[in-house]
Amino acid sequence: MKAIIYRHNGGPDVLQLVERDLPAPGPGEVRVRVAVSGVNPADWQARSGAPNRSGFPEVTPHLDGAGVIDAVGEGVDQSRVGQRVWLFMATAGRPTGTAAEFTVVPAGQAVPLPDEAGFDVGASLGVPALTAHRALTVAEDGPRRLRPGALDGRVVLAAGGAGAVGHAVIQLARWAGATVISTISGPEKARLATAAGAHHVINYREGDPAAQIREIAPDGVDIVAEVALGANLELDLAVLRTRGTISTYANDGGKPVELDVLHNMVLNTRLQFLVLYTAGSEARAAAVEDVAAAVRGGALPVGEEYGLPLVRFPLDRTADAHRAVESGAVGKVLVDVTS
């Protein structure tokens, strides 16, 4: 089979296209013929290695993907062969990600993908959708699970709604019944956030965005899903309701975070930092179940018309796919692996 590998950390040029033997699934594992591989910031960050903690002499990158199970290991129901699936956290503690024609993962990390959902949808779930779920389920007063109606009466602010996680936040929050506001930096990203399902879009570079958000949500925002905490904290606190939650999954731009302790004490702010690896198995399992339900409900479509343009590369141009993600490509970067 063809696979992308790297043997040492560095820039995109360390990625190589090689031939490898077909992997065999072990007990509790499935082998998947990968159709589409999704690329996330975590993938290039792992490749660039600051420092390299993988401990593996050779790594095939990419956490997320979608394809068809073609073999199962001992203890896995044989009926799963031929099942369409989406994959998540393929390289978590393992050297075999989805940037290959075949990959092996624990059976629980290959989630059934409905026939009506394309492989592009499947490869775009994983990190973005599961992170979005976590961001929306950590508030003090819940909910801990998402379903239609779970966020009725709540107001969610999706910072950077044109990004992959922000896009999933908008879609999941709307599916769960929230009023969704998204902050964006210009007209094109406003169009994308609206297409994703945001009820309101606010250009944070114009006018008084805090006043505009407060006009929509006079009592304040319940949950902020934050991609750039250092840059946006002042705005977040200006619109957060008492006992509201700021869920932070990134700090784009790298601006240092400075906390006004008294202000946060008075607000009883909940600042929740999150990453999937350490979220815990219970939270991840709940997220997988709820995201799968949202997919079955048609709530997580992708593509230009749904607010998440797809930027595609063939397998032999995986290095260019990494460059696109590193340079901040708008939309979801995908690698087409097999047809």
Side-chain angles (χ1 to χ4, degrees):
M1 69 169 187
K2 292 182 173 63
I4 297 294
I5 61 107
Y6 61 91
R7 297 190 180 92
H8 55 87
N9 297 110
D13 291 340
V14 303
L15 298 172
Q16 305 173 51
L17 179 66
V18 299
E19 291 282 346
R20 288 292 178 265
D21 293 336
L22 207 60
E29 296 179 335
V30 297
R31 184 175 68 201
V32 177
R33 185 172 190 262
V34 180
V36 183
S37 179
V39 191
N40 297 291
D43 297 316
W44 72 256
Q45 290 161 3
R47 182 217 71 227
S48 63
N52 176 19
R53 296 189 180 93
S54 73
F56 300 109
E58 178 178 297
V59 174
T60 290
H62 300 177
L63 291 153
D64 300 339
V68 177
I69 294 175
D70 86 314
V72 299
E74 181 184 349
V76 180
D77 192 332
Q78 190 68 28
S79 69
R80 294 204 69 186
V81 173
Q83 187 177 64
R84 301 170 75 253
V85 292
W86 57 276
L87 310 177
F88 68 96
M89 293 180 69
T91 54
R94 303 166 66 93
T96 50
T98 66
E101 291 179 320
F102 294 85
T103 193
V104 169
V105 297
Q109 288 168 227
V111 187
L113 183 67
D115 289 341
E116 58 272 20
F119 289 130
D120 291 351
V121 170
S124 302
L125 297 171
V127 169
L130 300 179
T131 299
H133 182 282
R134 176 71 172 158
L136 293 169
T137 55
V138 293
E140 180 180 5
D141 50 1
R144 290 291 177 266
R145 300 293 298 266
L146 296 183
R147 65 184 187 284
L151 291 173
D152 280 358
R154 309 292 179 94
V155 180
V156 170
L157 173 60
V165 177
H167 176 265
V169 167
I170 292 170
Q171 291 183 320
L172 284 174
R174 176 140 189 176
W175 175 67
T179 296
V180 185
I181 305 169
S182 183
T183 49
I184 46 78
S185 60
E188 177 59 19
K189 291 186 177 180
R191 183 184 66 79
L192 294 175
T194 299
H199 296 91
H200 308 276
V201 292
I202 305 294
N203 188 330
Y204 62 82
R205 293 178 173 173
E206 295 180 354
D208 186 343
Q212 294 175 65
I213 293 170
R214 280 287 182 176
E215 187 173 342
I216 298 162
D219 295 328
V221 169
D222 295 276
I223 302 170
V224 180
E226 185 54 76
V227 67
L229 186 64
N232 296 336
L233 183 57
E234 183 178 355
L235 173 60
D236 293 345
L237 292 176
V239 301
L240 193 70
R241 71 161 172 83
T242 303
R243 295 181 302 283
T245 298
I246 301 173
S247 300
T248 300
Y249 59 89
N251 190 28
D252 285 1
K255 183 177 178 180
V257 177
E258 297 183 3
L259 287 178
D260 180 331
V261 175
L262 181 59
H263 188 179
N264 283 278
M265 287 170 62
V266 171
L267 271 178
N268 264 268
T269 309
R270 171 169 288 205
L271 285 167
Q272 176 74 52
F273 296 87
L274 57 99
V275 69
L276 292 178
Y277 295 104
T278 53
S281 58
E282 185 176 339
R284 283 195 300 270
V288 169
E289 289 182 12
D290 294 351
V291 167
V295 173
R296 291 193 299 272
L300 289 165
V302 299
E304 181 86 27
E305 67 272 35
Y306 300 110
L308 191 71
L310 302 178
V311 184
R312 317 189 76 101
F313 295 89
L315 185 63
D316 62 2
R317 290 185 57 204
T318 297
D320 289 332
H322 278 227
R323 291 185 184 98
V325 176
E326 288 187 58
S327 64
V330 174
K332 182 65 183 180
V333 174
L334 300 177
V335 171
D336 291 309
V337 181
T338 57
S339 58

